[in-house]
Amino acid sequence: MNSLGGIGVQRQQVSPMMPKLSEQLEASKNKVKGVEARVAALVEPDPGLAKAWMNARFRREGREEAMLALVHEVDPISAQELREGFEETRRLSAAVESFRGLCKQLDAANERGEDKILGKFVGQQQKDARIQMLRDIDTVSRGIKAAGLCEAANKFPLAQLAALKDQVREQVEKLDAANLPQAPRLMSAAKVATLEGAVAAIADITGDKALAEGLKAAAGRADDKAAFTRDLGSFALLLDQASSAPDYSMTRMGWHYGYSRGDYRARAQQPFVMYLAEQRLEHSGEAAHAALSKVVDSKAPGLDLQEGLTKRFLDEIGVVPERAKGWKPSMDGIAKALAHEALVPLRALNETIQDMAGKHGHEGDFRRVVNELTQAMVEGNYKDWRNGNAASTRQLRPLSAAQKKAWLANDVRQSIDAPHGGRLTTREEDDVDLLWLTKIGGPSHGFDFGGHCLLPLLSNARTRAVVVEDTKWPDNPAARAYLRLLETKEGEPVLYLEPLQRDFPHRDTFQQDDLDGFFIAALVDHASKKAQALGVPLSIDARWGGIAKFLDLPTKADPKPEFVLAASAGVLEASDTMTTLHDWVQDKDMVIQPHNPRITYAPEGV
């Protein structure tokens, strides 16, 4: 299928809009900064107001609302200007971001032809890309209109965007009429658990039936047929996951990846992302084919399969041979990683370390931690590393041996029926699947955008990830929250429950206003049972007092608690509630004071 006719001309016509749009965005941001500076001067004489203003500015959640509420009390005129500035900046930021995505898609469509870029499932992916382009065009148009740029000496006429939109819509209609097949989702480990399943999958992915038949024959010569079947299934999963994996060394961290795990499973990447990954995709396919061909001709097929799988896995996740010297790869460890679709997140972590360091610095420390956790996953001892590294050992020090066992156990389950017809059940995730956990609740913490915020979760034993599964949402957990182990200033352990994060697609699908309350109830119930198992207090957000009462949990107000947060094993710590910062370098113990009021539940006898 050919790319859009005449799209190159459209790219040339819309490109000149970008500089002015960016200029207008900067002007809008500067206007907001000006109002903020004026407010800072007004509140400076009052220490209480000055502190409240600083706290509001550095909040992660509800920042703008908190700022506006405070400014309204001090100077209503400034509050109105600030509100207008926020709204204009949001519109222009969305327009600029959409403009960039639109131009990248136009470039990708033009330069090589999308049938080359998108590969086997070009038709459906073209349709998905076109729909995204329509959204981007609408967003850009709204931003231009809102900023009044279309009035500026006719420099930003909307006619070009309207013409492009008509052209794209026509393509969508044609693609829709073609009744295109959906791109297959990523394969599950169950599909390749047998020799027949693994051979069939390799034949389908490579298109080389002779190679697949040769591998089936090689299995008969293997000394350990069960191990050969496991490793061939792992190789099939590697081929499948690598075939749609972005090249993060090229596209870096950013908002241009899928919002959810479901997007990755559906191979829903933007065309320009896959265009920039094209060379690597070709290398991956050729190298995998060579490794499997060697197995076909081998006198020791089991050993050659293991060697080839190990080399290909390390290469796919961005680990060069020199870095892996001294490592002891485990075939069970690699099989587990691939069964949990770890290839993509491990690649992202290993190839975006400079992005993670960013404003924080400490690139060497980020590199060390990523190296350690990658080695632990390759060697199959990730849980032991996470729970037993030096910083994690310090974090668990307040616990007795029995309490530590209860903390690390994954035996609490709480269930509740929800009004959308699903049953919600909690459990704790503490293994390889943690790599995907922060894709629940939006992209800002995911491995492809905020790997620096993911590292603390991957590295610290003090954090238990509580997930909520929904019978109406079977593919992955519908929500998550962190349960943290902190200390009082006297050195006593206390549990601290962080806010709910729901999977974006789940929230889009089930939009009942009261549904969050049922998820929070399940989480609070789970956390209370964990507190009972350890015999320690539990701190929760004061806004959840009604839910605690519904669960018959007696609580007491704790408006200004202070806790000790032991040093992080993941360079940073990240939290929406523990401080006024969202993420910060945390290489030593610190005293924290949550910025929202808390209430405490103490189990009987505590």
Side-chain angles (χ1 to χ4, degrees):
M1 186 167 293
N2 297 323
S3 57
L4 287 174
I7 203 167
V9 176
Q10 297 286 10
R11 172 68 163 95
Q12 294 170 10
Q13 290 175 331
V14 301
S15 294
M17 300 182 190
M18 185 64 177
K20 189 67 178 179
L21 201 57
S22 298
E23 181 183 321
Q24 191 77 5
L25 174 60
E26 287 307 308
S28 181
K29 289 180 178 178
N30 289 333
K31 184 165 64 177
V32 169
K33 289 178 182 177
V35 178
E36 290 179 355
R38 187 197 315 157
V39 173
L42 288 172
V43 302
E44 186 177 9
D46 186 326
L49 279 177
K51 182 178 180 181
W53 173 244
M54 290 298 292
N55 286 343
R57 286 189 65 205
F58 288 103
R59 285 182 65 165
R60 177 66 176 179
E61 288 187 348
R63 173 179 176 272
E64 292 182 4
E65 292 81 357
M67 291 172 67
L68 289 168
L70 188 147
V71 177
H72 185 76
E73 297 298 323
V74 177
D75 181 6
I77 294 177
S78 293
Q80 181 61 29
E81 292 181 17
L82 194 60
R83 183 182 301 279
E84 292 172 355
F86 284 151
E87 290 175 355
E88 183 182 71
T89 300
R90 275 198 300 273
R91 285 195 300 266
L92 288 168
S93 294
V96 168
E97 190 65 29
S98 292
F99 206 116
R100 289 178 180 144
L102 178 62
C103 288
K104 287 175 180 176
Q105 291 220 47
L106 294 175
D107 286 340
N110 257 321
E111 190 162 342
R112 299 285 291 276
E114 283 170 309
D115 53 342
K116 178 73 170 175
I117 298 163
L118 298 174
K120 185 175 180 181
F121 308 106
V122 56
Q124 182 61 41
Q125 291 190 32
Q126 271 192 327
K127 178 184 172 184
D128 294 341
R130 293 291 177 267
I131 292 171
Q132 182 60 47
M133 287 173 72
L134 290 174
R135 294 176 185 144
D136 287 339
I137 291 168
D138 285 339
T139 304
V140 174
S141 299
R142 284 195 298 270
I144 291 172
K145 290 176 182 176
L149 295 178
C150 50
E151 309 297 332
N154 203 34
K155 289 182 179 179
F156 294 88
L158 299 178
Q160 285 89 344
L161 283 174
L164 179 59
K165 184 175 180 179
D166 289 341
Q167 192 177 15
V168 174
R169 186 185 290 113
E170 182 182 347
Q171 285 284 322
V172 171
E173 291 171 356
K174 289 180 179 178
L175 291 166
D176 200 35
N179 195 24
L180 300 163
Q182 290 282 350
R185 293 166 59 84
L186 289 181
M187 288 190 305
S188 68
K191 184 175 180 179
V192 294
T194 64
L195 179 63
E196 291 74 16
V199 167
I202 289 173
D204 183 54
I205 296 169
T206 64
D208 190 337
K209 292 183 179 180
L211 174 68
E213 288 301 317
L215 291 168
K216 186 174 183 180
R221 305 194 304 273
D223 293 332
D224 187 336
K225 292 179 174 54
F228 189 94
T229 297
R230 174 201 62 199
D231 297 337
L232 195 63
S234 296
F235 215 125
L237 293 175
L238 181 146
L239 283 167
D240 188 47
Q241 291 168 33
S243 68
S244 57
D247 184 350
Y248 296 100
S249 67
M250 294 289 292
T251 44
R252 316 304 302 173
M253 283 188 177
W255 293 99
H256 41 269
Y257 302 107
Y259 262 36
S260 66
R261 189 172 189 173
D263 286 343
Y264 273 89
R265 283 176 166 163
R267 310 177 196 270
Q269 296 294 347
Q270 294 194 33
F272 84 89
V273 171
M274 299 317 298
Y275 165 61
L276 292 175
E278 183 185 51
Q279 201 168 26
R280 186 166 190 172
L281 294 174
E282 290 178 356
H283 165 74
S284 294
E286 292 169 358
H289 195 279
L292 290 173
S293 296
K294 182 179 178 181
V295 174
V296 170
D297 299 329
S298 174
K299 294 181 180 178
L303 293 177
D304 280 332
L305 178 58
Q306 291 185 358
E307 179 184 2
L309 175 59
T310 301
K311 287 181 177 179
R312 292 307 317 132
F313 183 67
L314 291 174
D315 182 56
E316 293 293 354
I317 63 174
V319 176
V320 297
E322 293 75 16
R323 220 178 104 199
K325 283 184 178 178
W327 291 14
K328 299 176 181 177
S330 158
M331 304 317 296
D332 283 334
I334 292 173
K336 177 190 279 189
L338 288 165
H340 288 272
E341 301 161 357
L343 185 150
V344 164
L346 283 175
R347 177 187 287 188
L349 292 176
N350 278 282
E351 295 183 350
T352 58
I353 290 172
Q354 288 182 325
D355 296 333
M356 284 190 232
K359 65 180 180 181
H360 299 291
H362 294 264
E363 183 176 332
D365 290 326
F366 280 106
R367 199 170 297 279
R368 171 185 55 78
V369 174
V370 170
N371 193 67
E372 288 180 7
L373 75 87
T374 303
Q375 179 180 355
M377 289 195 180
V378 170
E379 294 182 347
N381 57 12
Y382 166 64
K383 280 179 67 172
D384 293 339
W385 173 81
R386 182 176 187 261
N387 296 330
N389 64 61
S392 287
T393 300
R394 161 68 185 88
Q395 294 163 9
L396 301 183
R397 191 172 64 183
L399 301 180
S400 67
Q403 286 175 320
K404 180 178 177 181
K405 183 178 180 181
W407 176 247
L408 297 178
N410 189 5
D411 53 3
V412 177
R413 299 284 190 280
Q414 295 303 117
S415 295
I416 186 171
D417 290 323
H420 69 311
R423 185 162 180 80
L424 310 181
T425 302
T426 64
R427 65 174 176 83
E428 292 168 37
E429 181 57 65
D430 60 357
D431 209 336
V432 176
D433 236 35
L434 287 175
L435 286 164
W436 284 98
L437 200 78
T438 50
K439 295 300 287 186
I440 298 173
S444 61
H445 283 188
F447 53 80
D448 47 14
F449 181 83
H452 55 292
C453 292
L454 173 59
L455 279 189
L457 171 66
L458 295 175
S459 308
N460 288 320
R462 65 152 167 253
T463 303
R464 299 292 291 178
V466 184
V467 299
V468 186
E469 296 180 329
D470 180 359
T471 54
K472 292 282 188 178
W473 201 252
D475 287 347
N476 56 263
R480 64 172 169 94
Y482 296 160
L483 184 61
R484 301 189 192 270
L485 172 67
L486 307 180
E487 298 175 55
T488 65
K489 296 179 76 172
E490 294 72 35
E492 296 298 319
V494 59
L495 304 189
Y496 184 101
L497 184 60
E498 291 272 23
L500 163 77
Q501 299 287 345
R502 266 176 71 193
D503 200 21
F504 274 20
H506 185 278
R507 191 178 291 280
D508 291 341
T509 303
F510 305 105
Q511 298 182 7
Q512 291 96 325
D513 292 337
D514 58 347
L515 197 51
D516 274 2
F518 287 83
F519 277 93
I520 294 170
L523 290 168
V524 172
D525 199 14
H526 182 107
S528 70
K529 296 301 188 293
K530 196 78 170 180
Q532 293 166 16
L534 272 72
V536 301
L538 166 67
S539 174
I540 65 174
D541 194 306
R543 291 172 294 184
W544 296 351
I547 290 175
K549 187 176 181 179
F550 168 76
L551 295 171
D552 293 326
L553 300 176
T555 61
K556 64 177 181 178
D558 197 1
K560 293 185 178 181
E562 290 186 332
F563 303 108
V564 175
L565 184 68
S568 172
V571 188
L572 305 183
E573 187 51 271
S575 169
D576 287 329
T577 65
M578 290 198 295
T579 72
T580 55
L581 301 173
H582 173 62
D583 52 74
W584 64 95
V585 175
Q586 212 241 320
D587 53 4
K588 57 186 177 183
D589 295 1
M590 62 184 289
V591 176
I592 61 166
Q593 185 174 19
H595 59 72
N596 286 333
R598 310 285 294 183
I599 55 177
T600 300
Y601 159 69
E604 188 175 351
V606 176

